Amino acid sequence: MAFGRVNPQFRLEDQGIEGLGNVYYNLMEPALIEAALKKGEGSLGKGGAFLVTTGTFTGRSPKDKHVVKTDSVVDTIWWENNAAMSVEGFDALYADMLAHMKGRDYFVQDLVGGADPQLSINVRMVTELAWHGLFIRHLLRRPERDALNNFMADFTVINCPSFQADPQRHDCRSQTVIAMNFDRKMILIGGTEYAGENKKSVFTLLNYLLPEKGVMPMHCSANHADGNPVDTAVFFGLSGTGKTTLSADPARTLIGDDEHGWSDRGTFNFEGGCYAKTINLNPEAEPEIFATTDKFGTVIENMVFDPETFELDFEDDSLTANMRCAYPLEYISNASETALGGHPKNVIMLTCDAFGVLPPIARLTPAQAMYHFLSGFTSKVAGTERGVTEPEPTFSTCFGAPFMPRRPEVYGKLLQDKIAKHGATCWLVNTGWTGGAYGAGSRMPIRATRALLTAALDGTLNDSEFRKDENFGFDVPVSVPNVAEVLLDPRRTWDDPEAYDVQAAKLVQMFADNFAQYLDYIDDDVKAAAIG
Ligand SMILES: Nc1ncnc2c1ncn2[C@@H]1O[C@H](COP(=O)(O)OP(=O)(O)O)[C@@H](O)[C@H]1O
Ligand SMILES: C=C(OP(=O)(O)O)C(=O)O
Ligand SMILES: [Mn+2]
């Protein structure tokens, strides 16, 4: 049986997907919650939030993500970074998944990726879990109801957590699989309930498609000055560096928290919702995000709560440190209605340095910005990827290597040209450790990071006095309003400044070793900005 609203010319049967149990097309939030409750997928929390746990997988599985090696992409995919799957493996996977799906109920959401209608793609999400339907409905962009009657998908994603892949037969690594096929215009996900795979697979897709249109796809959040989209800022950063936290700024309009494009017309969000970390979420430091946690339909993933009062425990990370909430953009009080911004006036690169070496803010020349963009230094924080239990230094190019199907220079060149053309000012912001490395020092106070960003974005920081950093060559401000001066010079925050020098020298060497791989691909000015 089919329920809900769908283009009568574009049912699952029209795509060759047949023999399912009930199919629920484009249910809205209340109906999705009702279905999820009936299926015992979770429980209703305060204010009508929906509480779920995801079992074994509470973070992404980047090593299980595959691109199918078809002729059309064989020369354009960066295979060193993207695990290949054979065409035969994919065909077997698809056939087996369809067989597994027979007789089971599925939820279909017809959605859009990209707030700029000239650059958007239509995505059909087919999910086994009703709450995954709710999640992706929050995260992607929801078409007008009437537009659903003639919706056609550019890409289809099938997410079937109860399906277990067979590495031999399906040419994959484990029972968990994310397989992207650009010829079949399909993504298959199996063996994981972590909701983040849904949104990040659409992101990966756009990261492949948009460069061909001259658009720079970015793993970044974005906001603009209230009433003034010309004053747009983007915040690049790998998971855990503060994209979501810092873009939700009471003084600025939120465009989006994770994935954006930069076209000739400016910036646009790929998504229509946010996915925030809730560990130690504090109503004073992050009031807008905190306020979403008891709103109707907000998906609360892997949080411990009191079974009687449904009070959430923001400190209890016993299920995972990567506990999350997912909500539509409009749940943030000062979110943009269009999800569009101007050309970024400021480009911020967030890093979470667990060595406690990098200063809390530095101004970068365009060449230094390119150097840091290609380097993508940060520390992976606990939980977002399987197996990461404490901060682990990493170089994740473009601040999002797991989501980049093409070679880093493709994205680097696009960004370099756009920064030059629009004269953006670039900054490196360390939201990681101060007063020592992880274990000795402490995480940078959110208050301080926000004050630094305020000064950078309102232009006052540009006029202040800078020192040139001996180790990294960038400009570091000497004093900033509302920030303790000592914080600006990490060496002074360490009990033992000589230990700082040792750690800094090690980090410089790590940068140099990592960057060797890009030397053949970059301009001389970027080479001149290289560290070490
Ligand atoms: N100085 C800081 N800046 C930003 N986030 C911080 C800072 N100190 C601690 N945090 C915490 O770090 C986490 C940042 O995560 P998030 O904003 O979700 O990152 P991303 O969106 O880049 O994955 C949040 O849990 C936030 O509360
Ligand atoms: C959803 C994710 O993104 P982020 O942590 O960057 O918000 C993720 O990495 O799983
Ligand atoms: Mn985020």
Side-chain angles (χ1 to χ4, degrees), residues 219-230:
H219 191 213
C220 73
S221 57
N223 63 22
H224 66 70
D226 284 340
N228 186 17
V230 168

Side-chain angles (χ1 to χ4, degrees), residues 52-130:
V52 292
T53 53
T54 64
T56 316
F57 291 82
T58 56
R60 281 178 296 104
S61 306
K63 293 197 181 102
D64 293 309
K65 196 165 160 191
H66 299 263
V67 176
V68 182
K69 206 165 197 169
T70 53
D71 291 345
S72 67
V73 301
V74 72
D75 296 327
T76 42
I77 296 288
W78 178 27
W79 293 111
E80 290 80 5
N81 183 58
N82 291 269
M85 175 182 280
S86 65
V87 171
E88 297 73 33
F90 182 87
D91 289 346
L93 176 67
Y94 188 37
D96 292 350
M97 198 177 263
L98 288 183
H100 178 88
M101 289 164 75
K102 296 250 186 270
R104 291 172 198 261
D105 295 351
Y106 276 81
F107 296 84
V108 177
Q109 289 286 323
D110 291 330
L111 299 162
V112 174
D116 179 339
Q118 292 183 45
L119 295 164
S120 62
I121 60 164
N122 285 356
V123 184
R124 168 167 280 183
M125 303 287 311
V126 183
T127 66
E128 177 183 353
L129 295 171

Side-chain angles (χ1 to χ4, degrees), residues 200 218-223 235-248 254 256-259 277 289 350 399 403 431:
K200 288 297 208 223
M218 306 179 287
H219 191 213
C220 73
S221 57
N223 63 22
F235 307 75
F236 282 96
L238 196 69
S239 189
T241 55
K243 294 184 297 302
T244 301
T245 297
L246 298 169
S247 58
L254 178 68
D257 84 321
D258 199 44
E259 313 170 1
K277 295 187 181 64
I289 297 174
L350 301 172
F399 297 105
F403 323 112
T431 64

Side-chain angles (χ1 to χ4, degrees), residues 3 7 47 61 140 156 193 204 242 266 288 323 340 362 382 405 432 492 519-520 524:
F3 300 88
N7 176 354
S61 306
L140 289 182
T156 299
E193 287 181 34
T204 309
E288 293 82 11
M323 56 233 226
L340 302 171
R492 281 171 60 201
L519 290 175
D520 291 341
D524 286 345

Side-chain angles (χ1 to χ4, degrees), residues 72-73 76-77 182 204-211 405-406 411:
S72 67
V73 301
T76 42
I77 296 288
F182 287 97
T204 309
L205 187 57
L206 286 164
N207 287 339
Y208 184 76
L209 300 175
L210 289 174
R406 294 177 186 267
Y411 305 104

